[in-house]
Amino acid sequence: MKKFQTWPCISSSSRFTSLPLPNLTAPESSAAYSSRSVRLCSRPPPSKPSPSTAEQTDFSSLPYDVLTKIAASFDQPNLQAASLVCRSWCEALQPLREAMVMLMWGKRFKHGKRGVCRNTEKALDMFTKAAARGSALAMVDAGLIYWERGEKIKALDLYLMAAHLGNPSAQCNLGISYLQVEPPNTEQALKWLYKASKGGNVRAQYQLALCLHRDGGSRSNIREAVKWYMKAAEGGYVRAMYNTSLCYSLGEGLTRNHQLARKWMKRAADRGHSKAQFEHGLALYSDGDMIKALVYLELANRAGEKGAAHVKNVIVHRLSAASQNHAMHLANSWRALPSN
């Protein structure tokens, strides 16, 4: 079968061309290569490739730094799968495989899991070492710690590196960070929130919608905001569900639709949004469904929603003791539905 050129042939002996990563390439006889990866790519190397064969390159001839950039946001299973494609990919992705181990230990130190005592300094050390090996995931985690410590410039630098590698979480964090710095950089914030939103990050979609909604001077901005609220809500972001309900209820960027407003309010309430629990409880009270109304109002009251206690007490005086106990039992056994 004829092979088609997919990348220019690199004549240099090193397959890394720009990333300042350590030379971790093992010799071809190294036991680090699995027998499966060797079998997948084993072919006798030509002594002197002719011009015709030099043009017949495939994806295994990609420069190592290009492969590392492509795989920078891979999680452990995807990275392992990519490492089995062929020998050159196994070599190129070795720094990222090492980064995955460091990332794992960093998370253990950060959260104090699996018998490891919580230690933010050790977590940051692991994250920065993993970031130096090209892991965009580690750049994000290191950036979060720097941001929490008030070292915002270091956090922004790490977010920016990971964002340029295409990591949607980094793009989202970068966009939000630009809104929080003094003075805020709205232009850069919107740029990165758009990128993250198009990459499917639901938090970015919600934040982008908020920015557009607050700007709100034009109808086109409102409609664009509602579009991103809807996407985030459909992706399981609870705050977006609540705002989508309000948009349907108030006719903000959408045609008023009481049924859809109730649908999204209930979804937000069932996933633990306290304001949605309060408002859905009020709606159920208006419908005369006292027991369900009492459940949602009790949950809202426990979450600190002002006003829920008064309406709840009004309902309690209208219900029998048995109905009250049943409602309290439902509230006590309630568990928030998971987000999608």
Side-chain angles (χ1 to χ4, degrees):
M1 181 181 293
K2 183 179 178 180
K3 294 183 178 179
F4 295 94
Q5 182 174 351
T6 57
W7 198 263
C9 185
I10 303 300
S11 59
S12 168
S13 59
S14 172
R15 294 285 295 283
F16 286 102
T17 61
S18 63
L19 275 185
L21 296 173
N23 182 10
L24 299 172
T25 304
E28 291 193 8
S29 60
S30 170
Y33 306 126
S34 68
S35 59
R36 180 181 174 189
S37 65
V38 173
R39 285 199 302 272
L40 284 171
C41 293
S42 59
R43 60 174 179 260
S47 55
K48 287 187 178 181
S50 63
S52 60
T53 58
E55 294 177 359
Q56 295 178 357
T57 54
D58 56 26
F59 282 113
S60 66
S61 68
L62 282 169
Y64 283 2
D65 55 322
V66 173
L67 282 167
T68 305
K69 287 178 180 179
I70 292 171
S73 294
F74 281 11
D75 57 14
Q76 181 73 9
N78 285 332
L79 186 61
Q80 291 294 344
S83 297
L84 293 174
V85 169
C86 65
R87 179 180 295 177
S88 62
W89 284 33
C90 185
E91 291 176 358
L93 298 178
Q94 185 174 337
L96 284 176
R97 291 197 301 276
E98 294 181 351
M100 283 293 107
V101 176
M102 296 173 182
L103 183 64
M104 175 193 71
W105 279 102
K107 289 184 180 294
R108 289 182 183 179
F109 281 123
K110 181 178 180 179
H111 302 292
K113 291 183 177 180
R114 298 196 177 184
V116 177
C117 294
R118 182 175 294 183
N119 189 319
T120 304
E121 289 300 322
K122 287 185 178 180
L124 182 58
D125 181 56
M126 289 290 102
F127 291 147
T128 52
K129 286 178 179 177
R133 284 164 171 76
S135 172
L137 304 177
M139 294 172 195
V140 174
D141 278 318
L144 286 169
I145 292 180
Y146 278 125
W147 187 270
E148 290 167 0
R149 287 167 43 158
E151 299 181 64
K152 296 185 177 181
I153 299 300
K154 290 182 178 179
L156 285 171
D157 287 343
L158 285 161
Y159 289 155
L160 188 60
M161 288 172 60
H164 280 302
L165 289 169
N167 184 276
S169 294
Q171 292 168 346
C172 175
N173 287 5
L174 185 60
I176 294 172
S177 299
Y178 277 128
L179 292 173
Q180 295 177 349
V181 296
E182 290 296 337
N185 190 332
T186 306
E187 182 180 351
Q188 285 296 311
L190 288 173
K191 167 189 168 181
W192 289 108
L193 287 174
Y194 263 114
K195 285 181 180 290
S197 296
K198 290 177 181 177
N201 186 287
V202 293
R203 184 177 177 224
Q205 290 168 350
Y206 172 72
Q207 291 294 332
L208 175 59
L210 274 183
C211 289
L212 294 168
H213 201 171
R214 286 168 181 166
D215 185 48
S218 65
R219 289 184 179 179
S220 61
N221 270 12
I222 299 286
R223 285 196 296 268
E224 184 77 0
V226 169
K227 180 186 83 172
W228 291 112
Y229 279 143
M230 292 283 290
K231 284 186 178 293
E234 289 164 357
Y237 202 77
V238 178
R239 293 181 183 179
M241 294 177 187
Y242 178 75
N243 284 18
T244 299
S245 173
L246 294 182
C247 288
Y248 273 121
S249 179
L250 301 172
E252 285 270 333
L254 292 167
T255 303
R256 285 189 177 182
N257 189 314
H258 177 70
Q259 185 177 357
L260 289 174
R262 288 284 296 268
K263 164 191 163 183
W264 284 110
M265 190 65 73
K266 183 179 186 305
R267 285 190 179 185
D270 289 342
R271 285 158 180 79
H273 194 288
S274 60
K275 281 185 170 57
Q277 289 169 339
F278 179 37
E279 295 191 30
H280 187 57
L282 289 177
L284 290 168
Y285 173 63
S286 298
D287 292 343
D289 196 338
M290 298 297 179
I291 293 179
K292 286 184 179 179
L294 181 56
V295 172
Y296 281 100
L297 290 167
E298 173 66 17
L299 294 172
N301 183 55
R302 292 178 186 180
E305 282 301 316
K306 295 179 180 179
H310 173 71
V311 184
K312 185 193 80 167
N313 290 334
V314 170
I315 295 174
V316 165
H317 286 95
R318 296 185 179 184
L319 292 176
S320 65
S323 295
Q324 293 175 33
N325 291 335
H326 179 58
M328 290 301 104
H329 172 73
L330 292 175
N332 291 334
S333 59
W334 182 84
R335 293 291 182 274
L337 291 176
S339 297
N340 295 333

